[in-house]
């Protein structure tokens, strides 16, 4: 078939355009954008924006940064994710966990937080380009749950001092617990009353929203339900506004009974490269290399935890709303957001579960809703910063506590105990170690779960049965860590007994074999020959048989009749047929050894 030049150009253009769409998902949904989508995206963007502003201010407190840095971190994600994101629901911005991780690494130093954002973004973008998203699969569910539960406790208790109006309380968790209780007599009545009142209102509105059913109701009740849903959804913004008005009123009459946020920088942040060095209070200049060295393990933990959190959220809502996401494209979107965010003084961000849930429930139709949210944040920075002066810290503390409380999932402990008790080990290690240092908790949990995984690889279950000869069935794959274990069992049960015995090695579950295993098998075959007994391989997978034949093992024997059967396509058998076939295979293997 001859292809005309015009056809070649068309095919080439089509290929190029499909590649461009893969890198810029906006090209997939923008051409079919509808007016109805615009209405829903505007509504969702405004709703999420009213949730984002108070949360961003509160999470900056968790990160130990001035409150405006929370807003600096909250707007870039909306613009970037609209271009690069593959989920219509996800919203990127500051979260409680990333704020805690940021504080644990930079200790509340703004310049270092911004540099950390750049480095995290570069790491995440490189992982996306190299398709390294599979590395996240090595962080098990118990480790993630252990970390999130510990982070929720750490963040939540860290805000108790703001509810009580206490000052000069250390940030290290155990010292924080001690000094919070030690300084209770110094608590400010105004902060305590306002903080508890804000907590009560937030919890009440949260339960009201949870209590809204989906059954059919009359039109007037439906309107009332929508009103309750709207008030409950925007509860953070409403509580912060109300508390700020209360604080302003008391302050106007000269009664300073609340601890307020205080002066903040007004206006949009300058667009400039992040600093690559830092200057200490005494004038000492800290170089880029020294800063990176100070970041330590946090430079690996923060990018990975950011990716885990965001991709888990994206997958959850994609499944719920019946669409698919591209995990590597999500990595790229988060990485570019952090890279660009570092130019506007942002600290590391990721996907927010709470705000994503609000986005989805409001009926967002495309990622464009994030642009509306970002515009609201920018307007707040430009015009509302003087108003933020009067936001009580007790009110922000109440917002944070209500946001992180659902992260303490005690049901998961009971489930792991019921399903597989051993999985509680990485959970408990991660949970406890995270109270010492957050990043050490994650590293310790990954190390424990990794050790458990390696142990299962190195000690696979081997079922031994006696049918005149010993039949050893490997219950899982055979790789180099397991060679010593297999060799030990064969020696102790077949070779180092008073009367050496022949062995049939059932390799039905072995799909991969490596050079270390081949070397051990060569030695085993020699040992069997010296004792005048046989080692027969049976039910070999074609890929494994090919490797064994290529190795040219002296004395290699296999069940030929079974090997031929492996090549035939088998229909699904019921249990009696499977048992009958297994018995026929055993008789065949034993008879071959007898011959």
């Amino acid at each position: 078939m001859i292809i005309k030049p015009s056809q070649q150009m068309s095919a080439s253009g089509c290929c190029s355009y499909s590649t461009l769409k893969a890198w810029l998902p906006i090209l997939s949904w923008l051409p079919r954008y509808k007016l109805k989508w615009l209405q829903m995206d505007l509504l969702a963007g405004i709703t999420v924006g009213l949730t984002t502003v108070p949360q961003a201010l509160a999470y900056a407190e968790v990160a130990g940064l001035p409150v405006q840095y929370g807003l600096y971190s909250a707007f870039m994600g909306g613009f970037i994710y609209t271009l690069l994101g593959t989920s219509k629901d996800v919203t990127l911005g500051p979260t409680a966990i990333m704020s805690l991780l940021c504080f644990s690494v930079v200790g509340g130093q703004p310049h270092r937080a911004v540099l950390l954002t750049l480095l995290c973004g570069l790491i995440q973008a490189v992982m996306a380009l190299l398709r390294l998203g599979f590395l996240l699969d090595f962080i098990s569910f118990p480790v993630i749950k252990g970390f999130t539960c510990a982070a929720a406790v750490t963040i939540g208790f860290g805000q108790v001092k703001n509810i009580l109006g206490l000052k000069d309380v250390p940030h290290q968790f155990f010292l924080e617990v001690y000094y919070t209780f030690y300084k209770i007599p110094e608590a400010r009545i105004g902060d305590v009353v306002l903080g508890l009142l804000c907590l009560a209102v937030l919890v009440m509105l949260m339960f009201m929203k949870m209590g809204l059913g989906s059954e059919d109701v009359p039109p007037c009740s439906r309107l009332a339900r929508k009103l309750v849903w709207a008030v409950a959804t925007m509860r953070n913004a409403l509580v912060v506004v109300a508390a700020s008005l209360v604080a302003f009123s008391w302050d106007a009459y000269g009664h300073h009974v609340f601890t307020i946020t205080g002066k903040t920088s007004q206006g949009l942040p300058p667009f400039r490269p992040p600093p690559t060095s830092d200057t200490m209070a005494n004038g000492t200049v800290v170089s880029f290399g020294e800063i990176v060295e100070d970041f330590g393990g946090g430079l690996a933990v923060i990018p990975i935890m950011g990716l885990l959190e965001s991709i888990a959220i994206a997958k959850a809502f994609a499944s719920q709303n019946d669409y698919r996401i591209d995990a590597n494209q999500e990595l790229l979107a988060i990485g570019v957001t952090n890279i660009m965010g570092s130019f506007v003084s942002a600290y590391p961000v990721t996907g927010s579960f709470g705000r994503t849930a609000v986005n989805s429930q409001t009926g967002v139709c495309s990622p464009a809703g994030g642009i509306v949210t970002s515009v609201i944040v920018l307007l707040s920075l430009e015009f509302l910063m003087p108003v933020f002066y009067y936001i009580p810290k007790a009110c922000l503390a109440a917002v944070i506590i209500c946001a992180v409380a659902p992260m303490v999932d005690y049901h998961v402990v009971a489930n792991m105990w019921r399903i597989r008790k051993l999985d509680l080990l990485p959970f408990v290690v991660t949970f406890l170690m995270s109270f010492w240092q957050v990043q050490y908790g994650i590293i310790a949990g990954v190390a424990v779960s990794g050790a458990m995984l390696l142990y299962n690889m190195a000690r696979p279950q081997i079922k031994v049965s006696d049918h005149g000869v010993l039949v050893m069935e490997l219950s899982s794959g055979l790789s180099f860590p397991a060679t010593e274990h297999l060799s030990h069992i064969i020696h102790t049960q077949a070779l180092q007994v008073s009367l050496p015995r022949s062995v049939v090695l059932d390799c039905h579950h072995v799909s991969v074999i490596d050079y270390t295993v081949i070397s051990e098998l060569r030695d085993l075959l020699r040992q069997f020959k010296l004792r005048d007994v046989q080692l027969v391989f049976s039910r070999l997978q074609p890929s494994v048989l090919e490797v064994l034949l290529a190795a040219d093992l002296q004395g290699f024997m296999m069940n030929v009749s079974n090997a031929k059967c492996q090549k035939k396509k088998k229909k699904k058998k019921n249990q009696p047929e499977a048992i009958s076939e297994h018995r026929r295979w055993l008789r065949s293997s034993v008879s071959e050894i007898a011959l």
Side-chain angles (χ1 to χ4, degrees):
M1 177 181 177
I2 300 174
I3 300 177
K4 297 178 182 179
S6 60
Q7 291 177 319
Q8 288 182 332
M9 290 177 63
S10 175
S12 175
C14 179
C15 180
S16 299
Y17 183 68
S18 63
T19 303
L20 189 60
K21 281 203 300 183
W23 288 103
L24 288 173
I26 188 175
L27 298 177
S28 299
W29 56 263
L30 189 59
R32 49 191 176 87
Y33 198 81
K34 304 172 184 176
L35 183 61
K36 184 180 178 181
W37 291 12
L38 178 61
Q39 296 171 351
M40 298 305 297
D41 287 346
L42 282 172
L43 176 62
I46 292 170
T47 307
V48 175
L50 294 175
T51 306
T52 299
V53 172
Q55 281 194 347
L57 298 171
Y59 290 149
E61 288 278 336
V62 176
L65 301 170
V67 292
Q68 65 266 23
Y69 279 84
L71 296 178
Y72 293 166
S73 309
F75 67 85
M76 187 60 74
F79 296 115
I80 300 297
Y81 196 82
T82 300
L83 296 173
L84 302 178
T86 59
S87 168
K88 72 179 182 64
D89 300 299
V90 168
T91 62
L92 300 183
T95 65
I97 288 178
M98 292 303 286
S99 300
L100 177 65
L101 286 169
C102 180
F103 176 78
S104 70
V105 172
V106 304
Q109 300 180 62
H111 287 169
R112 295 196 177 194
V114 174
L115 179 59
L116 178 64
T117 307
L118 174 66
L119 297 177
C120 287
L122 290 172
I123 292 170
Q124 291 164 334
V126 168
M127 287 181 67
L129 295 173
L130 297 180
R131 303 283 174 176
L132 297 179
F134 72 91
L135 293 176
L136 303 178
D137 298 337
F138 288 94
I139 302 181
S140 65
F141 182 80
V143 172
I144 296 171
K145 275 298 178 183
F147 165 69
T148 54
C149 289
V153 173
T154 303
I155 294 167
F157 192 86
Q159 297 306 309
V160 172
K161 63 179 183 290
N162 289 328
I163 294 282
L164 299 176
L166 302 178
K167 296 181 179 179
D168 301 323
V169 175
H171 290 285
Q172 206 280 333
F173 180 74
F174 297 108
L175 292 176
E176 189 173 47
V177 172
Y178 173 79
Y179 278 101
T180 298
F181 285 105
Y182 179 78
K183 292 192 171 190
I184 282 180
E186 302 176 18
R188 294 165 59 101
I189 299 300
D191 287 324
V192 173
V193 172
L194 183 64
L196 293 177
L197 188 60
C198 290
L199 268 176
V201 172
L202 288 169
V203 171
M204 180 188 69
L205 290 173
M206 183 174 64
F207 279 109
M208 286 176 64
K209 184 178 180 181
M210 290 169 60
L212 293 174
S214 57
E215 65 276 3
D216 292 333
V217 293
C220 58
S221 298
R222 195 179 303 125
L223 180 62
R225 180 173 295 179
K226 286 184 178 180
L227 180 61
V228 171
W229 182 88
V231 171
T233 300
M234 296 184 288
R235 60 186 179 273
N236 290 332
L238 295 176
V239 167
V240 169
V241 170
S244 301
L245 289 174
V246 171
F248 174 76
S249 301
W250 282 85
D251 197 68
Y253 285 100
H255 302 293
H256 307 291
V257 294
F258 305 112
T259 304
I260 57 178
T261 300
K263 188 176 181 180
T264 56
S265 298
Q266 184 176 359
L268 303 179
F271 189 86
R272 62 189 177 196
T276 54
S277 62
D278 198 9
T279 305
M280 306 296 288
N282 58 7
T284 304
V285 177
V286 184
S287 67
F288 175 78
E290 291 172 319
I291 295 175
V292 172
E293 187 177 347
D294 288 343
F295 288 164
L299 202 53
V301 170
I302 292 181
I304 290 176
M305 289 309 300
L307 296 176
L308 268 177
E309 189 175 359
S310 190
I311 290 177
I313 292 167
K315 285 183 176 179
F317 282 90
S319 175
Q320 177 181 311
N321 295 320
D322 196 25
Y323 62 87
R324 294 188 61 81
I325 64 157
D326 183 340
N328 274 294
Q329 186 64 27
E330 292 293 303
L331 301 189
L332 183 64
I334 301 167
V336 174
T337 295
N338 278 320
I339 291 172
M340 297 304 297
S342 68
F343 284 80
V344 291
S345 303
Y347 68 88
V349 302
T350 185
S352 164
F353 186 86
R355 297 194 295 273
T356 298
V358 171
N359 207 25
S360 178
Q361 291 166 6
T362 315
V364 71
C365 295
S366 77
I371 296 178
V372 181
T373 299
S374 298
V375 169
I376 290 175
V377 174
L378 290 172
L379 291 174
S380 300
L381 277 167
E382 184 64 31
F383 301 110
L384 298 181
M385 290 308 289
V387 179
F388 297 155
Y389 178 94
Y390 292 100
I391 297 179
K393 288 193 174 184
C395 171
L396 293 179
V399 170
I400 293 170
I401 291 172
C402 286
V404 301
M407 290 164 52
V408 183
D409 188 3
Y410 57 88
H411 296 292
V412 75
V413 178
N415 289 337
M416 281 191 280
W417 177 265
R418 188 179 71 254
I419 296 170
R420 188 170 183 263
K421 296 178 178 62
L422 193 59
D423 282 335
L424 283 171
L425 180 59
F427 174 87
V428 171
V429 169
T430 306
F431 182 78
L432 296 178
M433 289 287 289
S434 293
F435 291 121
W436 175 37
Q437 283 286 343
V438 176
Q439 59 266 39
Y440 293 161
I442 298 170
I443 293 170
V446 170
V448 170
S449 57
M452 291 167 57
L453 178 65
L454 291 174
Y455 181 82
N456 289 332
M457 291 176 60
R459 295 293 181 269
Q461 291 185 353
I462 300 176
K463 181 181 177 181
V464 181
S465 54
D466 193 338
H467 298 271
V469 297
L470 290 179
V471 177
M472 297 187 179
E473 181 182 355
L474 292 162
S475 62
S476 60
L478 182 62
S479 54
F480 69 89
T483 53
E484 186 61 33
H485 179 59
L486 174 64
S487 178
H488 174 74
I489 289 180
I490 291 177
H491 273 86
T492 54
Q493 299 202 28
L495 296 178
Q496 294 177 357
V497 292
S498 55
L499 291 174
R501 307 186 64 183
S502 296
V503 171
V504 174
L505 197 59
D506 182 358
C507 301
H508 179 60
H509 297 293
V510 179
S511 58
V512 177
I513 197 168
D514 56 42
Y515 188 80
T516 305
V517 177
I518 293 293
S519 299
E520 188 64 33
L521 291 177
R522 180 177 282 110
D523 182 65
L524 283 172
L525 287 169
R526 185 175 58 84
Q527 296 291 336
F528 272 87
K529 185 177 181 181
L530 288 175
R531 290 164 175 79
D532 199 25
V533 286
Q534 295 176 346
L535 174 62
V536 176
F537 297 84
S538 189
R539 298 211 288 181
L540 291 165
Q541 300 287 344
S543 58
V544 176
L545 177 60
E546 185 180 350
V547 173
L548 289 171
L549 293 175
D552 194 23
L553 297 173
Q554 188 175 2
F556 171 65
M557 293 179 62
M558 65 175 177
N559 187 331
V560 179
S561 60
N562 183 259
K564 291 178 181 177
C565 290
Q566 289 282 345
K567 297 180 182 179
K568 297 180 180 179
K569 186 176 181 181
K570 301 177 182 178
K571 65 178 182 179
K572 190 174 181 181
K573 302 176 180 64
N574 56 34
Q575 189 174 6
E577 288 177 337
I579 293 173
S580 177
E581 181 179 332
H582 187 67
R583 287 173 178 167
R584 286 197 301 271
W585 162 75
L586 282 175
R587 287 196 296 270
S588 172
S589 298
V590 172
S591 62
E592 284 195 17
I593 289 177
L595 291 173

